[in-house]
Amino acid sequence: MKDIKVLGTGCANCRNTVKLIEEVAAERNVAVNLTKIEDLPEIMKYGVMSTPGVVVDGKVVHAGGVPDRAKISTWL
């Protein structure tokens, strides 16, 4: 199971990123533990300066803008 965190303060791009990850994971039948982190000090711990940020299994893989489906697929 992949541990995925979406870092963001609740903006539309952050919500869309969560939704896309859920959709792609469901399409590929991949189990994910998806967490949304909105606490700014917690986000800063990852060194993410532009949101949404995505952390997969403890590693920052994306920051700034909504990732596309192809990119999400590579994380899964």
Side-chain angles (χ1 to χ4, degrees):
M1 177 179 292
K2 292 285 185 178
D3 182 46
I4 302 176
K5 295 178 175 66
V6 176
L7 313 175
T9 57
C11 66
N13 284 345
C14 299
R15 291 189 303 271
N16 288 337
T17 298
V18 169
K19 182 179 175 191
L20 273 174
I21 292 171
E22 289 173 336
E23 289 174 2
V24 173
E27 290 167 5
R28 298 194 57 190
N29 292 319
V30 175
V32 295
N33 178 29
L34 186 59
T35 307
K36 177 76 170 69
I37 297 178
E38 295 184 357
D39 183 56
L40 200 50
E42 186 68 22
I43 292 169
M44 296 303 290
K45 289 180 185 176
Y46 289 95
V48 171
M49 301 306 271
S50 58
T51 60
V54 180
V55 178
V56 178
D57 294 332
K59 180 182 175 192
V60 176
V61 295
H62 179 81
V66 178
D68 62 33
R69 289 177 167 274
K71 189 170 188 179
I72 294 170
S73 289
T74 65
W75 303 334
L76 303 177

Short mmCIF file of all heavy atoms in Angstrom, two decimals:
data_model
loop_
_atom_site.label_atom_id
_atom_site.label_comp_id
_atom_site.label_asym_id
_atom_site.label_seq_id
_atom_site.Cartn_x
_atom_site.Cartn_y
_atom_site.Cartn_z
N MET A 1 0.85 -1.18 0.00
CA MET A 1 0.00 0.00 0.00
C MET A 1 0.89 1.24 0.00
O MET A 1 1.83 1.34 0.78
CB MET A 1 -0.90 0.01 1.23
CG MET A 1 -1.75 1.26 1.31
SD MET A 1 -2.88 1.35 2.71
CE MET A 1 -4.02 0.06 2.31
N LYS A 2 0.57 2.17 -0.88
CA LYS A 2 1.31 3.42 -0.97
C LYS A 2 0.78 4.41 0.06
O LYS A 2 -0.43 4.53 0.25
CB LYS A 2 1.16 4.05 -2.36
CG LYS A 2 1.83 3.28 -3.47
CD LYS A 2 3.31 3.50 -3.40
CE LYS A 2 4.00 2.84 -4.58
NZ LYS A 2 5.42 3.06 -4.56
N ASP A 3 1.71 5.09 0.72
CA ASP A 3 1.35 6.13 1.67
C ASP A 3 1.53 7.47 0.96
O ASP A 3 2.66 7.84 0.63
CB ASP A 3 2.23 6.05 2.92
CG ASP A 3 1.86 7.09 3.94
OD1 ASP A 3 0.64 7.23 4.21
OD2 ASP A 3 2.76 7.77 4.48
N ILE A 4 0.43 8.15 0.70
CA ILE A 4 0.46 9.40 -0.06
C ILE A 4 -0.11 10.53 0.78
O ILE A 4 -1.19 10.39 1.37
CB ILE A 4 -0.32 9.28 -1.38
CG1 ILE A 4 0.26 8.15 -2.23
CG2 ILE A 4 -0.31 10.60 -2.15
CD1 ILE A 4 -0.51 7.87 -3.51
N LYS A 5 0.63 11.63 0.82
CA LYS A 5 0.17 12.82 1.52
C LYS A 5 0.06 13.96 0.50
O LYS A 5 0.98 14.16 -0.30
CB LYS A 5 1.16 13.22 2.61
CG LYS A 5 1.28 12.22 3.74
CD LYS A 5 2.31 12.67 4.74
CE LYS A 5 2.38 11.76 5.94
NZ LYS A 5 2.84 10.42 5.67
N VAL A 6 -1.05 14.67 0.54
CA VAL A 6 -1.22 15.87 -0.28
C VAL A 6 -1.08 17.05 0.67
O VAL A 6 -1.81 17.16 1.65
CB VAL A 6 -2.57 15.89 -1.01
CG1 VAL A 6 -2.75 17.19 -1.77
CG2 VAL A 6 -2.66 14.70 -1.96
N LEU A 7 -0.11 17.90 0.37
CA LEU A 7 0.17 19.06 1.22
C LEU A 7 -0.46 20.30 0.60
O LEU A 7 -0.18 20.64 -0.55
CB LEU A 7 1.69 19.27 1.32
CG LEU A 7 2.54 18.04 1.61
CD1 LEU A 7 4.01 18.40 1.55
CD2 LEU A 7 2.19 17.44 2.94
N GLY A 8 -1.30 20.97 1.36
CA GLY A 8 -1.93 22.19 0.87
C GLY A 8 -2.93 22.73 1.86
O GLY A 8 -3.43 22.00 2.71
N THR A 9 -3.22 24.00 1.73
CA THR A 9 -4.07 24.67 2.70
C THR A 9 -5.56 24.59 2.39
O THR A 9 -6.35 25.24 3.06
CB THR A 9 -3.65 26.15 2.83
OG1 THR A 9 -3.72 26.75 1.54
CG2 THR A 9 -2.24 26.25 3.39
N GLY A 10 -5.94 23.83 1.39
CA GLY A 10 -7.36 23.65 1.09
C GLY A 10 -7.82 24.36 -0.16
O GLY A 10 -9.02 24.48 -0.40
N CYS A 11 -6.91 24.81 -0.99
CA CYS A 11 -7.27 25.50 -2.23
C CYS A 11 -7.88 24.51 -3.23
O CYS A 11 -7.84 23.30 -3.04
CB CYS A 11 -6.05 26.17 -2.85
SG CYS A 11 -4.79 25.01 -3.43
N ALA A 12 -8.45 25.02 -4.31
CA ALA A 12 -9.08 24.18 -5.33
C ALA A 12 -8.07 23.20 -5.93
O ALA A 12 -8.40 22.04 -6.18
CB ALA A 12 -9.69 25.05 -6.42
N ASN A 13 -6.84 23.66 -6.19
CA ASN A 13 -5.84 22.76 -6.77
C ASN A 13 -5.52 21.61 -5.83
O ASN A 13 -5.30 20.48 -6.28
CB ASN A 13 -4.55 23.53 -7.11
CG ASN A 13 -4.69 24.35 -8.36
OD1 ASN A 13 -5.62 24.19 -9.15
ND2 ASN A 13 -3.77 25.26 -8.57
N CYS A 14 -5.49 21.88 -4.55
CA CYS A 14 -5.22 20.83 -3.56
C CYS A 14 -6.36 19.81 -3.55
O CYS A 14 -6.12 18.60 -3.55
CB CYS A 14 -5.04 21.43 -2.17
SG CYS A 14 -3.65 22.57 -2.06
N ARG A 15 -7.58 20.28 -3.57
CA ARG A 15 -8.74 19.37 -3.59
C ARG A 15 -8.76 18.55 -4.88
O ARG A 15 -9.05 17.36 -4.85
CB ARG A 15 -10.04 20.17 -3.42
CG ARG A 15 -10.20 20.76 -2.02
CD ARG A 15 -11.59 21.35 -1.80
NE ARG A 15 -11.94 22.38 -2.77
CZ ARG A 15 -11.69 23.68 -2.63
NH1 ARG A 15 -11.07 24.10 -1.55
NH2 ARG A 15 -12.05 24.54 -3.55
N ASN A 16 -8.44 19.20 -6.00
CA ASN A 16 -8.41 18.48 -7.28
C ASN A 16 -7.32 17.42 -7.30
O ASN A 16 -7.50 16.35 -7.88
CB ASN A 16 -8.21 19.46 -8.44
CG ASN A 16 -9.43 20.29 -8.70
OD1 ASN A 16 -10.55 19.92 -8.35
ND2 ASN A 16 -9.24 21.45 -9.32
N THR A 17 -6.19 17.71 -6.67
CA THR A 17 -5.09 16.74 -6.60
C THR A 17 -5.52 15.50 -5.82
O THR A 17 -5.28 14.37 -6.25
CB THR A 17 -3.84 17.39 -5.98
OG1 THR A 17 -3.42 18.48 -6.82
CG2 THR A 17 -2.70 16.39 -5.85
N VAL A 18 -6.17 15.71 -4.68
CA VAL A 18 -6.67 14.58 -3.89
C VAL A 18 -7.63 13.75 -4.72
O VAL A 18 -7.53 12.51 -4.77
CB VAL A 18 -7.35 15.07 -2.59
CG1 VAL A 18 -8.10 13.94 -1.89
CG2 VAL A 18 -6.34 15.70 -1.66
N LYS A 19 -8.56 14.41 -5.39
CA LYS A 19 -9.56 13.71 -6.20
C LYS A 19 -8.91 12.91 -7.32
O LYS A 19 -9.26 11.75 -7.55
CB LYS A 19 -10.55 14.73 -6.78
CG LYS A 19 -11.66 14.12 -7.57
CD LYS A 19 -12.61 15.18 -8.10
CE LYS A 19 -13.64 14.55 -9.01
NZ LYS A 19 -14.42 15.54 -9.73
N LEU A 20 -7.95 13.51 -8.01
CA LEU A 20 -7.26 12.81 -9.11
C LEU A 20 -6.50 11.59 -8.61
O LEU A 20 -6.54 10.53 -9.25
CB LEU A 20 -6.30 13.75 -9.82
CG LEU A 20 -6.88 14.59 -10.95
CD1 LEU A 20 -5.83 15.58 -11.46
CD2 LEU A 20 -7.35 13.71 -12.09
N ILE A 21 -5.81 11.72 -7.50
CA ILE A 21 -5.07 10.58 -6.95
C ILE A 21 -6.03 9.45 -6.60
O ILE A 21 -5.77 8.28 -6.91
CB ILE A 21 -4.22 11.00 -5.74
CG1 ILE A 21 -3.09 11.93 -6.19
CG2 ILE A 21 -3.66 9.77 -5.02
CD1 ILE A 21 -2.33 12.59 -5.05
N GLU A 22 -7.16 9.79 -5.99
CA GLU A 22 -8.17 8.78 -5.65
C GLU A 22 -8.67 8.08 -6.91
O GLU A 22 -8.79 6.85 -6.95
CB GLU A 22 -9.34 9.41 -4.91
CG GLU A 22 -9.02 9.85 -3.51
CD GLU A 22 -10.13 10.63 -2.84
OE1 GLU A 22 -10.97 11.25 -3.54
OE2 GLU A 22 -10.14 10.65 -1.60
N GLU A 23 -8.96 8.87 -7.96
CA GLU A 23 -9.48 8.31 -9.21
C GLU A 23 -8.46 7.38 -9.89
O GLU A 23 -8.81 6.27 -10.30
CB GLU A 23 -9.86 9.42 -10.18
CG GLU A 23 -11.10 10.19 -9.77
CD GLU A 23 -11.38 11.38 -10.68
OE1 GLU A 23 -10.63 11.61 -11.65
OE2 GLU A 23 -12.36 12.10 -10.39
N VAL A 24 -7.22 7.84 -10.01
CA VAL A 24 -6.20 7.03 -10.68
C VAL A 24 -5.91 5.76 -9.89
O VAL A 24 -5.77 4.68 -10.47
CB VAL A 24 -4.91 7.86 -10.92
CG1 VAL A 24 -3.79 6.99 -11.46
CG2 VAL A 24 -5.19 9.02 -11.87
N ALA A 25 -5.85 5.86 -8.57
CA ALA A 25 -5.62 4.67 -7.74
C ALA A 25 -6.76 3.66 -7.92
O ALA A 25 -6.51 2.45 -8.04
CB ALA A 25 -5.47 5.07 -6.28
N ALA A 26 -7.99 4.15 -7.96
CA ALA A 26 -9.14 3.26 -8.14
C ALA A 26 -9.10 2.60 -9.52
O ALA A 26 -9.36 1.40 -9.65
CB ALA A 26 -10.45 4.03 -7.96
N GLU A 27 -8.77 3.37 -10.56
CA GLU A 27 -8.69 2.84 -11.92
C GLU A 27 -7.63 1.74 -12.03
O GLU A 27 -7.80 0.78 -12.77
CB GLU A 27 -8.36 3.95 -12.92
CG GLU A 27 -9.48 4.93 -13.14
CD GLU A 27 -9.04 6.19 -13.88
OE1 GLU A 27 -7.87 6.28 -14.31
OE2 GLU A 27 -9.88 7.10 -14.02
N ARG A 28 -6.55 1.90 -11.30
CA ARG A 28 -5.44 0.95 -11.37
C ARG A 28 -5.51 -0.12 -10.29
O ARG A 28 -4.63 -0.96 -10.18
CB ARG A 28 -4.12 1.70 -11.27
CG ARG A 28 -3.96 2.68 -12.45
CD ARG A 28 -2.59 3.20 -12.60
NE ARG A 28 -1.67 2.06 -12.75
CZ ARG A 28 -0.36 2.17 -12.72
NH1 ARG A 28 0.19 3.33 -12.54
NH2 ARG A 28 0.40 1.12 -12.84
N ASN A 29 -6.57 -0.08 -9.47
CA ASN A 29 -6.75 -1.02 -8.37
C ASN A 29 -5.54 -1.05 -7.44
O ASN A 29 -5.06 -2.12 -7.05
CB ASN A 29 -7.06 -2.42 -8.91
CG ASN A 29 -8.40 -2.50 -9.57
OD1 ASN A 29 -9.37 -1.92 -9.08
ND2 ASN A 29 -8.48 -3.18 -10.70
N VAL A 30 -5.05 0.13 -7.10
CA VAL A 30 -3.91 0.26 -6.19
C VAL A 30 -4.43 0.80 -4.86
O VAL A 30 -5.11 1.83 -4.82
CB VAL A 30 -2.84 1.22 -6.78
CG1 VAL A 30 -1.72 1.43 -5.78
CG2 VAL A 30 -2.30 0.69 -8.09
N ALA A 31 -4.09 0.10 -3.79
CA ALA A 31 -4.50 0.55 -2.46
C ALA A 31 -3.57 1.68 -2.02
O ALA A 31 -2.36 1.56 -2.11
CB ALA A 31 -4.43 -0.61 -1.48
N VAL A 32 -4.18 2.78 -1.58
CA VAL A 32 -3.39 3.91 -1.10
C VAL A 32 -3.93 4.37 0.25
O VAL A 32 -5.12 4.27 0.52
CB VAL A 32 -3.40 5.10 -2.09
CG1 VAL A 32 -2.72 4.74 -3.39
CG2 VAL A 32 -4.78 5.64 -2.33
N ASN A 33 -3.02 4.85 1.06
CA ASN A 33 -3.39 5.52 2.31
C ASN A 33 -3.20 7.00 2.02
O ASN A 33 -2.08 7.50 2.02
CB ASN A 33 -2.50 5.05 3.45
CG ASN A 33 -2.81 5.76 4.74
OD1 ASN A 33 -3.95 6.17 4.97
ND2 ASN A 33 -1.81 5.93 5.58
N LEU A 34 -4.28 7.70 1.71
CA LEU A 34 -4.22 9.09 1.27
C LEU A 34 -4.57 10.02 2.43
O LEU A 34 -5.63 9.91 3.03
CB LEU A 34 -5.18 9.31 0.10
CG LEU A 34 -5.17 10.65 -0.59
CD1 LEU A 34 -3.79 10.98 -1.15
CD2 LEU A 34 -6.20 10.68 -1.70
N THR A 35 -3.64 10.93 2.73
CA THR A 35 -3.82 11.88 3.82
C THR A 35 -3.69 13.30 3.28
O THR A 35 -2.81 13.57 2.46
CB THR A 35 -2.73 11.67 4.90
OG1 THR A 35 -2.72 10.32 5.30
CG2 THR A 35 -2.98 12.55 6.11
N LYS A 36 -4.54 14.19 3.73
CA LYS A 36 -4.47 15.60 3.35
C LYS A 36 -3.89 16.36 4.54
O LYS A 36 -4.42 16.29 5.64
CB LYS A 36 -5.88 16.11 3.03
CG LYS A 36 -5.97 17.57 2.70
CD LYS A 36 -5.47 17.84 1.30
CE LYS A 36 -5.75 19.23 0.83
NZ LYS A 36 -5.02 20.27 1.49
N ILE A 37 -2.79 17.07 4.30
CA ILE A 37 -2.16 17.85 5.37
C ILE A 37 -2.35 19.33 5.06
O ILE A 37 -1.88 19.82 4.03
CB ILE A 37 -0.66 17.50 5.49
CG1 ILE A 37 -0.51 16.04 5.90
CG2 ILE A 37 0.02 18.43 6.50
CD1 ILE A 37 0.91 15.56 6.00
N GLU A 38 -3.06 20.03 5.95
CA GLU A 38 -3.35 21.44 5.75
C GLU A 38 -2.62 22.35 6.73
O GLU A 38 -2.66 23.56 6.61
CB GLU A 38 -4.86 21.68 5.85
CG GLU A 38 -5.64 20.99 4.74
CD GLU A 38 -7.12 21.29 4.77
OE1 GLU A 38 -7.59 22.01 5.68
OE2 GLU A 38 -7.82 20.82 3.87
N ASP A 39 -1.94 21.76 7.71
CA ASP A 39 -1.23 22.52 8.73
C ASP A 39 0.07 23.09 8.14
O ASP A 39 0.96 22.32 7.74
CB ASP A 39 -0.93 21.60 9.91
CG ASP A 39 -0.24 22.32 11.04
OD1 ASP A 39 -0.80 23.33 11.52
OD2 ASP A 39 0.85 21.88 11.44
N LEU A 40 0.16 24.41 8.07
CA LEU A 40 1.30 25.06 7.42
C LEU A 40 2.65 24.67 8.01
O LEU A 40 3.58 24.36 7.25
CB LEU A 40 1.10 26.58 7.40
CG LEU A 40 1.92 27.36 6.39
CD1 LEU A 40 1.81 26.79 5.00
CD2 LEU A 40 1.52 28.82 6.41
N PRO A 41 2.81 24.65 9.32
CA PRO A 41 4.11 24.22 9.87
C PRO A 41 4.47 22.78 9.46
O PRO A 41 5.63 22.48 9.20
CB PRO A 41 3.93 24.33 11.38
CG PRO A 41 2.87 25.38 11.54
CD PRO A 41 1.94 25.18 10.38
N GLU A 42 3.46 21.90 9.37
CA GLU A 42 3.71 20.52 8.94
C GLU A 42 4.13 20.49 7.47
O GLU A 42 5.03 19.75 7.10
CB GLU A 42 2.45 19.67 9.17
CG GLU A 42 2.62 18.21 8.89
CD GLU A 42 3.53 17.49 9.87
OE1 GLU A 42 3.73 17.98 11.01
OE2 GLU A 42 4.06 16.43 9.50
N ILE A 43 3.48 21.29 6.64
CA ILE A 43 3.83 21.37 5.22
C ILE A 43 5.27 21.85 5.06
O ILE A 43 6.05 21.30 4.27
CB ILE A 43 2.86 22.31 4.46
CG1 ILE A 43 1.46 21.69 4.41
CG2 ILE A 43 3.37 22.61 3.05
CD1 ILE A 43 0.38 22.64 3.93
N MET A 44 5.65 22.84 5.86
CA MET A 44 7.00 23.41 5.77
C MET A 44 8.08 22.39 6.14
O MET A 44 9.20 22.47 5.67
CB MET A 44 7.11 24.65 6.67
CG MET A 44 6.21 25.79 6.25
SD MET A 44 6.46 26.34 4.56
CE MET A 44 8.04 27.11 4.73
N LYS A 45 7.74 21.41 6.97
CA LYS A 45 8.70 20.37 7.34
C LYS A 45 9.19 19.59 6.12
O LYS A 45 10.28 19.04 6.13
CB LYS A 45 8.09 19.40 8.35
CG LYS A 45 7.89 19.97 9.72
CD LYS A 45 7.28 18.94 10.64
CE LYS A 45 6.96 19.53 12.00
NZ LYS A 45 6.28 18.54 12.87
N TYR A 46 8.36 19.56 5.08
CA TYR A 46 8.72 18.85 3.85
C TYR A 46 9.49 19.74 2.88
O TYR A 46 9.93 19.28 1.82
CB TYR A 46 7.48 18.28 3.16
CG TYR A 46 6.86 17.12 3.91
CD1 TYR A 46 5.81 17.32 4.79
CD2 TYR A 46 7.35 15.83 3.74
CE1 TYR A 46 5.24 16.26 5.48
CE2 TYR A 46 6.79 14.76 4.43
CZ TYR A 46 5.74 14.98 5.29
OH TYR A 46 5.19 13.93 5.98
N GLY A 47 9.61 21.02 3.19
CA GLY A 47 10.33 21.94 2.32
C GLY A 47 9.54 22.37 1.10
O GLY A 47 10.10 22.90 0.15
N VAL A 48 8.24 22.15 1.12
CA VAL A 48 7.38 22.51 -0.01
C VAL A 48 7.00 23.98 0.11
O VAL A 48 6.43 24.40 1.11
CB VAL A 48 6.12 21.61 -0.05
CG1 VAL A 48 5.11 22.12 -1.06
CG2 VAL A 48 6.51 20.18 -0.34
N MET A 49 7.35 24.75 -0.91
CA MET A 49 7.08 26.18 -0.89
C MET A 49 5.86 26.55 -1.74
O MET A 49 5.30 27.63 -1.58
CB MET A 49 8.30 26.96 -1.39
CG MET A 49 9.54 26.70 -0.54
SD MET A 49 9.27 26.99 1.20
CE MET A 49 9.70 28.70 1.29
N SER A 50 5.47 25.69 -2.68
CA SER A 50 4.28 25.96 -3.49
C SER A 50 3.40 24.71 -3.45
O SER A 50 3.89 23.59 -3.57
CB SER A 50 4.64 26.35 -4.92
OG SER A 50 5.41 25.34 -5.54
N THR A 51 2.12 24.95 -3.26
CA THR A 51 1.18 23.84 -3.12
C THR A 51 0.33 23.70 -4.38
O THR A 51 0.21 24.65 -5.15
CB THR A 51 0.27 24.06 -1.89
OG1 THR A 51 -0.45 25.27 -2.05
CG2 THR A 51 1.08 24.08 -0.62
N PRO A 52 -0.26 22.55 -4.59
CA PRO A 52 -0.18 21.39 -3.74
C PRO A 52 1.16 20.66 -3.86
O PRO A 52 1.78 20.67 -4.91
CB PRO A 52 -1.32 20.50 -4.23
CG PRO A 52 -1.50 20.89 -5.66
CD PRO A 52 -1.16 22.34 -5.74
N GLY A 53 1.54 20.07 -2.76
CA GLY A 53 2.70 19.20 -2.76
C GLY A 53 2.22 17.78 -2.57
O GLY A 53 1.17 17.54 -1.98
N VAL A 54 2.98 16.82 -3.09
CA VAL A 54 2.62 15.42 -2.94
C VAL A 54 3.84 14.67 -2.41
O VAL A 54 4.94 14.81 -2.95
CB VAL A 54 2.14 14.80 -4.27
CG1 VAL A 54 1.77 13.33 -4.08
CG2 VAL A 54 0.96 15.56 -4.85
N VAL A 55 3.60 13.89 -1.37
CA VAL A 55 4.64 13.07 -0.76
C VAL A 55 4.22 11.61 -0.88
O VAL A 55 3.12 11.24 -0.47
CB VAL A 55 4.82 13.44 0.74
CG1 VAL A 55 5.87 12.55 1.39
CG2 VAL A 55 5.17 14.90 0.89
N VAL A 56 5.07 10.80 -1.49
CA VAL A 56 4.78 9.37 -1.65
C VAL A 56 5.83 8.59 -0.87
O VAL A 56 7.03 8.72 -1.14
CB VAL A 56 4.78 8.95 -3.13
CG1 VAL A 56 4.54 7.45 -3.27
CG2 VAL A 56 3.74 9.73 -3.92
N ASP A 57 5.36 7.81 0.08
CA ASP A 57 6.24 7.00 0.92
C ASP A 57 7.40 7.81 1.50
O ASP A 57 8.55 7.40 1.48
CB ASP A 57 6.76 5.78 0.15
CG ASP A 57 5.65 4.80 -0.22
OD1 ASP A 57 4.64 4.75 0.51
OD2 ASP A 57 5.77 4.09 -1.24
N GLY A 58 7.07 9.03 1.97
CA GLY A 58 8.04 9.87 2.66
C GLY A 58 8.90 10.75 1.77
O GLY A 58 9.71 11.53 2.27
N LYS A 59 8.73 10.67 0.45
CA LYS A 59 9.55 11.45 -0.48
C LYS A 59 8.67 12.45 -1.25
O LYS A 59 7.64 12.07 -1.82
CB LYS A 59 10.24 10.52 -1.47
CG LYS A 59 11.10 11.23 -2.48
CD LYS A 59 11.72 10.26 -3.45
CE LYS A 59 12.49 11.03 -4.51
NZ LYS A 59 12.88 10.17 -5.62
N VAL A 60 9.09 13.72 -1.28
CA VAL A 60 8.35 14.73 -2.04
C VAL A 60 8.55 14.43 -3.53
O VAL A 60 9.67 14.37 -4.02
CB VAL A 60 8.85 16.15 -1.71
CG1 VAL A 60 8.14 17.18 -2.59
CG2 VAL A 60 8.63 16.47 -0.23
N VAL A 61 7.43 14.22 -4.23
CA VAL A 61 7.50 13.88 -5.66
C VAL A 61 6.91 14.97 -6.54
O VAL A 61 7.05 14.93 -7.76
CB VAL A 61 6.81 12.53 -5.96
CG1 VAL A 61 7.54 11.38 -5.29
CG2 VAL A 61 5.34 12.56 -5.53
N HIS A 62 6.23 15.96 -5.92
CA HIS A 62 5.57 17.00 -6.72
C HIS A 62 5.31 18.22 -5.84
O HIS A 62 5.01 18.08 -4.66
CB HIS A 62 4.24 16.47 -7.26
CG HIS A 62 3.49 17.47 -8.08
ND1 HIS A 62 3.78 17.71 -9.40
CD2 HIS A 62 2.47 18.29 -7.75
CE1 HIS A 62 2.95 18.65 -9.84
NE2 HIS A 62 2.15 19.02 -8.87
N ALA A 63 5.43 19.39 -6.45
CA ALA A 63 5.06 20.63 -5.75
C ALA A 63 4.63 21.66 -6.77
O ALA A 63 5.28 21.83 -7.79
CB ALA A 63 6.23 21.16 -4.93
N GLY A 64 3.52 22.34 -6.50
CA GLY A 64 3.03 23.41 -7.35
C GLY A 64 2.20 22.91 -8.51
O GLY A 64 2.70 22.19 -9.36
N GLY A 65 0.93 23.22 -8.53
CA GLY A 65 0.05 22.83 -9.63
C GLY A 65 -0.50 21.43 -9.47
O GLY A 65 -0.01 20.63 -8.68
N VAL A 66 -1.54 21.16 -10.24
CA VAL A 66 -2.19 19.86 -10.20
C VAL A 66 -1.42 18.91 -11.12
O VAL A 66 -1.23 19.20 -12.30
CB VAL A 66 -3.66 19.96 -10.68
CG1 VAL A 66 -4.32 18.60 -10.68
CG2 VAL A 66 -4.44 20.93 -9.79
N PRO A 67 -0.96 17.77 -10.59
CA PRO A 67 -0.25 16.81 -11.44
C PRO A 67 -1.20 16.15 -12.43
O PRO A 67 -2.39 16.02 -12.15
CB PRO A 67 0.30 15.79 -10.44
CG PRO A 67 -0.64 15.87 -9.28
CD PRO A 67 -1.10 17.30 -9.22
N ASP A 68 -0.68 15.73 -13.57
CA ASP A 68 -1.54 15.06 -14.54
C ASP A 68 -1.64 13.56 -14.21
O ASP A 68 -0.88 13.04 -13.40
CB ASP A 68 -1.08 15.29 -15.98
CG ASP A 68 0.31 14.76 -16.26
OD1 ASP A 68 0.71 13.73 -15.68
OD2 ASP A 68 1.00 15.37 -17.09
N ARG A 69 -2.60 12.91 -14.86
CA ARG A 69 -2.87 11.50 -14.59
C ARG A 69 -1.65 10.61 -14.85
O ARG A 69 -1.38 9.67 -14.11
CB ARG A 69 -4.05 11.01 -15.43
CG ARG A 69 -5.36 11.57 -14.98
CD ARG A 69 -6.50 11.11 -15.89
NE ARG A 69 -7.77 11.40 -15.27
CZ ARG A 69 -8.38 10.59 -14.41
NH1 ARG A 69 -7.84 9.46 -14.08
NH2 ARG A 69 -9.53 10.94 -13.88
N ALA A 70 -0.90 10.92 -15.90
CA ALA A 70 0.28 10.11 -16.23
C ALA A 70 1.31 10.18 -15.12
O ALA A 70 1.91 9.16 -14.74
CB ALA A 70 0.87 10.57 -17.55
N LYS A 71 1.52 11.36 -14.58
CA LYS A 71 2.49 11.52 -13.50
C LYS A 71 2.03 10.78 -12.26
O LYS A 71 2.82 10.10 -11.60
CB LYS A 71 2.69 13.01 -13.20
CG LYS A 71 3.84 13.28 -12.25
CD LYS A 71 4.15 14.77 -12.18
CE LYS A 71 5.42 15.01 -11.39
NZ LYS A 71 5.76 16.43 -11.32
N ILE A 72 0.75 10.88 -11.94
CA ILE A 72 0.20 10.17 -10.79
C ILE A 72 0.39 8.67 -10.96
O ILE A 72 0.76 7.97 -10.02
CB ILE A 72 -1.28 10.53 -10.56
CG1 ILE A 72 -1.41 12.01 -10.15
CG2 ILE A 72 -1.91 9.63 -9.50
CD1 ILE A 72 -2.82 12.54 -10.14
N SER A 73 0.18 8.17 -12.15
CA SER A 73 0.32 6.73 -12.42
C SER A 73 1.73 6.25 -12.11
O SER A 73 1.92 5.15 -11.60
CB SER A 73 -0.02 6.41 -13.88
OG SER A 73 -1.40 6.56 -14.09
N THR A 74 2.72 7.09 -12.40
CA THR A 74 4.11 6.68 -12.13
C THR A 74 4.37 6.54 -10.64
O THR A 74 5.25 5.78 -10.24
CB THR A 74 5.14 7.66 -12.73
OG1 THR A 74 5.04 8.93 -12.10
CG2 THR A 74 4.95 7.80 -14.23
N TRP A 75 3.63 7.27 -9.81
CA TRP A 75 3.81 7.18 -8.36
C TRP A 75 3.23 5.90 -7.79
O TRP A 75 3.62 5.43 -6.74
CB TRP A 75 3.15 8.35 -7.64
CG TRP A 75 3.62 9.69 -8.07
CD1 TRP A 75 4.83 10.02 -8.62
CD2 TRP A 75 2.89 10.92 -7.98
NE1 TRP A 75 4.88 11.37 -8.88
CE2 TRP A 75 3.72 11.94 -8.50
CE3 TRP A 75 1.62 11.24 -7.53
CZ2 TRP A 75 3.30 13.27 -8.56
CZ3 TRP A 75 1.22 12.55 -7.59
CH2 TRP A 75 2.05 13.56 -8.11
N LEU A 76 2.25 5.34 -8.50
CA LEU A 76 1.53 4.17 -7.98
C LEU A 76 2.21 2.89 -8.42
O LEU A 76 2.03 1.86 -7.87
CB LEU A 76 0.07 4.19 -8.44
CG LEU A 76 -0.72 5.44 -8.06
CD1 LEU A 76 -2.12 5.35 -8.65
CD2 LEU A 76 -0.79 5.61 -6.56
#
